[in-house]
Amino acid sequence: MSTSDVYIEWPGGLAAAFWHASAYDTSTGLAFLTERMKEFDGFKRRVSLAATDINTGEVLTFGDHNIEWSELPQAVLASASVPGFFPPQSFKGHFLVDGMTAWNTNAQQAIDRCREIVEHDRDIIIDVITIGVSDDQKEIVETGHTSSNFLRSRNIKSAHNGGDALDEQIRSHPDIYWRHKIMEVDGHVTGMNELNFEPEITKPLQEQGKKDALAAIQKLKNNQ
C-alpha cells in the first residue's frame, strides 16, 4: 500500500484539510487486513491491543478475550490510528485512536493477561521489544526555527514517554521477572516520516527490523 493509495486530495488546498477527519483514508488498509486475516482460523494465544477513546480518554484493550477473530482487523486499525493523520475508528460504541495517545509502551496489558493464568507476579516473565529510537539530543547554539523546535521537543517527549513509562511499570511490579528489554539499535525514522509509506522510508525500516529480530533471537539463545 503506497501513499498514493490512501492520500486524500483536498479541494481548496491545504487549508481545506482542517475540515476533514484525517489526512489519510484507512479504508484500503482495513480491506487489506481483512483479506489477510482470512488465511487464518482464529486466535492461537492471548492477544491484547490498546486503543484510546478520543471522547473520554479511556484506554481500552481488545483481543481474544472480548472480540471475535473477524473483528481483529478493525481493532488493529484502531490501535494504530494516529490522531490527525488517520481517522478515528468507530468500534464497539467508541471512537478510537492510537493507543500510544495515552501509553507508548503499555506493559500493564501483558501483566493483566498473565494474571489470568498465574497466581503470583513472581510467576510472570516479561520481555519488552521496543521499535523506534529517539535521536540523540545534540547541543543547539540558537533557536528560532519553529519546525526544528517542534521536532526536537517531539523527540524529547517521545523518549521520556516511552522509557520513563516503562521504567515506572517495572518499579511498580518488582516481583515480576523483567527478563529482556530489547531496543532498536538504529533509528531510521525522524520527524514525520513515520507516516511516509514510500519505499525509500519503509525499506530501511524493514531491514532494520530483521536485524533487530535476529539480534533478539541470538540474545535469547545466549542467555539460555
Side-chain angles (χ1 to χ4, degrees):
M1 185 166 59
S2 67
T3 307
S4 59
D5 293 328
V6 295
Y7 190 74
I8 296 176
E9 294 293 338
W10 295 306
L14 182 61
F18 293 98
W19 300 102
H20 289 266
S22 63
Y24 294 91
D25 173 18
T26 52
S27 60
T28 54
L30 180 60
F32 171 80
L33 288 172
T34 300
E35 186 62 29
R36 291 301 301 270
M37 292 298 184
K38 289 180 180 178
E39 300 177 16
F40 307 95
D41 58 1
F43 296 100
K44 304 302 181 183
R45 59 180 60 194
R46 286 173 170 78
V47 174
S48 286
L49 299 168
T52 305
D53 188 314
I54 199 169
N55 290 321
T56 66
E58 179 184 7
V59 179
L60 303 169
T61 60
F62 301 102
D64 60 293
H65 57 298
N66 61 1
I67 64 173
E68 300 295 328
W69 176 254
S70 60
E71 297 176 309
L72 183 58
Q74 182 130 28
V76 169
L77 203 60
S79 181
S81 291
V82 179
F85 293 92
F86 302 120
Q89 297 297 306
S90 178
F91 187 59
K92 298 290 186 181
H94 300 273
F95 280 103
L96 301 171
V97 295
D98 197 325
M100 76 172 184
T101 304
W103 287 90
N104 197 10
T105 304
N106 186 0
Q108 189 62 49
Q109 288 183 68
I111 296 170
D112 292 342
R113 298 309 306 276
C114 288
R115 284 173 172 168
E116 297 173 4
I117 56 177
V118 301
E119 186 175 352
H120 302 290
D121 278 3
R122 62 176 177 268
D123 297 320
I124 299 176
I125 301 173
I126 293 183
D127 297 330
V128 178
I129 301 177
T130 301
I131 300 174
V133 295
S134 297
D135 292 337
D136 293 334
Q137 299 303 320
K138 300 178 177 61
E139 182 179 358
I140 56 176
V141 178
E142 62 182 35
T143 62
H145 297 290
T146 302
S147 59
S148 62
N149 290 340
F150 168 76
L151 294 177
R152 182 177 178 84
S153 66
R154 184 174 177 274
N155 283 338
I156 294 172
K157 179 181 179 181
S158 176
H160 285 280
N161 188 30
D164 285 4
L166 180 59
D167 290 341
E168 180 180 345
Q169 290 173 323
I170 293 174
R171 290 192 297 269
S172 300
H173 303 285
D175 294 333
I176 290 176
Y177 179 22
W178 298 85
R179 183 171 54 181
H180 299 297
K181 182 180 177 183
I182 301 171
M183 308 295 290
E184 183 180 340
V185 297
D186 187 21
H188 291 279
V189 176
T190 59
M192 306 302 269
N193 279 338
E194 292 94 333
L195 299 166
N196 187 332
F197 307 123
E198 297 297 334
E200 60 267 24
I201 297 297
T202 60
K203 184 63 175 179
L205 294 175
Q206 294 172 24
E207 294 303 318
Q208 185 61 54
K210 294 176 183 178
K211 292 179 182 178
D212 291 336
L214 290 173
I217 293 171
Q218 187 60 51
K219 184 175 181 179
L220 290 173
K221 289 181 177 179
N222 293 340
N223 289 334
Q224 288 179 349

